[in-house]
């Protein structure tokens, strides 16, 4: 090989390496923490690829329930792994209060987002689940019972030992306690009436305080329970299996349980974090979340098929949702949990 050829080869090799290095430098990574299971599958298959392509980014997904990902934020507070985190609204209030959420940039579609989903300057709801009453429609029809209409139905003697409510460690059970308190003249800042209502009138009728969604489903399918406090998303999943599950927005209001997102502080890709959250709020992505997760859209422009619109929180039913005071709840939750085991599940 001549000296001229060696020189040309060296130039070509250097250019190739420089180009490879430049390409690697341009491939950014956005790390998103969110629920595992079907939610992770949905994001990886139907939501993440389009965002990756549009923004020339690789998304690393960190699966975990809300408690696990909140714990990750706390463990990594000096060097956060996640750039965006998706949690239930209760733990999200905790994450924000602990300083893990960066301020959200103004949303281009802010006028299209329901006000109840605007949690705060650092966090936004990306999907609605309603906590209400679920019931076996066939059982009720056979008994000649009308569908339940009120949180007060939990006290009806005809449901004695065919009623299930998750414990206070589960958001659905916590919501039931808050609504019992509100109906008895109290509320989050005065929870005593709720505990009294449960101790005197509701708990004696409960067959089991079931925390597991899988076991709750089994209780319905084995005809051990006819009525329960549960979420609209869970009701949809059971109804999709062919079971005659009905979901009711009680006349006093179903409780909003939101899937919420925030950009994590000290991200090395802060602009992408903001873009990804805005992407999750786009109408077409909102529809995908509703179909796969039973999460009602927070964007008013999302259009759902009629059968799905009848189950998840959507349009008119959004007005039937009530919002709880998570700041107060999170201050007292440990105390209430101890009290629950002493007074309710005794």
């Amino acid at each position: 090989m001549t000296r001229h050829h060696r020189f040309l080869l060296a130039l070509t090799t250097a250019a190739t390496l420089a180009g490879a290095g430049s390409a690697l430098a341009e491939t950014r990574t956005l790390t998103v923490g969110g629920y595992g299971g079907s939610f992770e599958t949905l994001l990886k298959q139907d939501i993440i690829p389009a965002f990756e392509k549009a923004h020339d980014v690789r998304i690393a997904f960190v699966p975990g329930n809300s408690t696990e990902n909140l714990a990750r934020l706390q463990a990594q507070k000096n060097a956060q792994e996640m750039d965006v985190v998706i949690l239930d609204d209760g733990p999200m209030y905790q994450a924000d209060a602990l300083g893990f959420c960066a301020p959200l940039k103004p949303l281009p579609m802010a006028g299209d987002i329901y006000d109840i989903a605007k949690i705060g300057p650092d966090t936004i709801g990306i999907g609605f689940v309603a906590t209400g009453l679920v019931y076996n429609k066939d059982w009720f029809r056979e008994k000649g019972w009308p569908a339940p209409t009120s949180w007060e139905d939990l006290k009806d003697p005809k449901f004695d030992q065919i009623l299930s409510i998750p414990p206070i460690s589960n958001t659905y059970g916590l919501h039931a306690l808050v609504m019992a308190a509100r109906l008895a003249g109290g509320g989050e800042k005065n929870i005593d009436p709720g505990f009294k209502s449960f101790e005197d009138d509701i708990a004696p009728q409960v067959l089991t305080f079931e925390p597991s969604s899988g076991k709750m489903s089994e209780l319905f399918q084995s005809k051990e329970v006819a009525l329960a406090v549960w979420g609209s998303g869970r009701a949809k999943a059971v109804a999709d299996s062919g079971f005659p599950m009905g979901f009711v927005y009680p006349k006093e209001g179903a409780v909003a349980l939101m899937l919420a997102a925030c950009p994590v502080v000290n991200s090395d890709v802060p602009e992408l974090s903001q873009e990804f959250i805005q992407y999750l709020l786009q109408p077409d992505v909102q529809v995908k979340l509703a179909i796969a997760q039973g999460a009602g859209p927070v964007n008013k422009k999302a259009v759902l098929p009629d059968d799905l619109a009848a189950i998840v929180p959507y349009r008119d039913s959004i007005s039937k949702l009530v919002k709880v005071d998570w700041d107060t709840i999170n201050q007292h939750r440990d105390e209430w949990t101890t009290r629950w085991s002493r007074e309710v599940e005794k």
Side-chain angles (χ1 to χ4, degrees):
M1 181 182 294
T2 67
R3 182 165 57 183
H4 177 68
H5 286 141
R6 286 197 298 271
F7 177 71
L8 289 177
L9 179 61
L11 284 178
T12 302
T13 302
T16 301
L17 290 173
S22 175
L24 287 172
E26 291 173 3
T27 304
R28 299 166 295 176
T29 298
L30 177 72
T31 303
V32 177
Y35 315 105
S38 59
F39 184 87
E40 179 182 4
T41 301
L42 168 69
L43 258 67
K44 286 183 174 179
Q45 291 183 354
D46 297 333
I47 293 178
I48 284 175
F51 185 86
E52 288 180 320
K53 183 177 180 180
H55 294 271
D56 190 22
V57 62
R58 184 182 75 86
I59 292 183
F61 190 81
V62 180
N65 63 34
S66 295
T67 302
E68 291 167 342
N69 275 331
L70 177 58
R72 282 192 178 99
L73 290 172
Q74 293 172 304
Q76 299 167 358
K77 62 182 178 181
N78 296 321
Q80 293 291 352
E81 170 194 11
M82 294 181 286
D83 301 299
V84 173
V85 67
I86 299 167
L87 306 171
D88 287 350
D89 50 2
M92 184 61 82
Y93 273 92
Q94 290 180 288
D96 195 18
L98 291 168
F100 297 134
C101 293
L104 280 169
K105 287 193 172 183
L107 298 169
M109 73 292 287
D112 299 329
I113 306 300
Y114 291 102
D115 287 342
I116 193 174
K118 298 171 183 176
I119 297 173
D122 306 335
T123 60
I124 187 77
I126 62 168
F128 289 119
V129 174
T131 300
L133 305 178
V134 296
Y135 68 105
N136 181 330
K137 293 192 288 187
D138 284 354
W139 190 326
F140 272 61
R141 184 169 55 252
E142 290 166 5
K143 291 286 188 179
W145 297 339
T149 60
S150 167
W151 289 100
E152 294 286 5
D153 287 332
L154 299 177
K155 302 176 183 177
D156 192 322
K158 71 172 175 277
F159 300 125
D160 186 27
Q161 302 311 302
I162 54 172
L163 168 68
S164 183
I165 301 174
I168 194 178
S169 58
N170 181 293
T171 303
Y172 302 129
L174 178 63
H175 284 169
L177 174 65
V178 169
M179 291 307 295
R182 290 188 182 190
L183 266 60
E188 292 89 326
K189 295 185 184 298
N190 177 19
I191 205 67
D192 289 353
F195 274 103
K196 180 171 175 53
S197 181
F198 258 86
E199 183 176 11
D200 293 349
D201 302 316
I202 300 174
Q205 303 214 123
V206 174
L207 174 68
T208 179
F209 290 95
E210 182 51 62
S212 164
S213 295
K215 290 183 179 178
M216 181 73 86
S217 178
E218 289 175 8
L219 287 171
F220 272 97
Q221 295 187 17
S222 61
K223 296 188 177 179
E224 294 177 74
V225 300
L227 177 69
V229 174
W230 222 19
S232 55
R234 299 296 183 187
K236 175 188 179 299
V238 176
D240 285 348
S241 73
F243 187 83
M245 181 71 83
F247 181 83
V248 170
Y249 290 81
K251 63 184 181 182
E252 303 88 357
V255 185
L257 192 169
M258 278 182 284
L259 285 64
C262 86
V264 179
V265 293
N266 301 324
S267 168
D268 58 353
V269 284
E271 293 297 326
L272 282 172
S273 298
Q274 301 282 343
E275 290 283 350
F276 186 71
I277 291 173
Q278 292 179 19
Y279 174 66
L280 293 176
L281 296 170
Q282 296 296 328
D284 60 326
V285 177
Q286 290 276 290
V287 171
K288 290 177 181 178
L289 286 168
I291 292 172
Q293 294 298 121
V298 302
N299 190 320
K300 300 172 187 176
K301 290 187 175 179
V303 179
L304 301 184
D306 290 345
D307 58 340
L308 184 58
I311 298 176
V312 306
Y314 181 62
R315 296 190 174 173
D316 290 346
S317 62
I318 302 297
S319 63
K320 301 175 184 177
L321 296 178
V322 298
K323 195 173 182 179
V324 297
D325 179 359
W326 278 112
D327 288 331
T328 297
I329 290 170
N330 287 330
Q331 289 176 25
H332 299 285
R333 191 160 185 176
D334 289 345
E335 168 199 337
W336 293 357
T337 300
T338 300
R339 186 174 175 183
W340 178 276
S341 62
R342 186 176 66 244
E343 298 178 17
V344 178
E345 287 191 67
K346 53 188 178 180

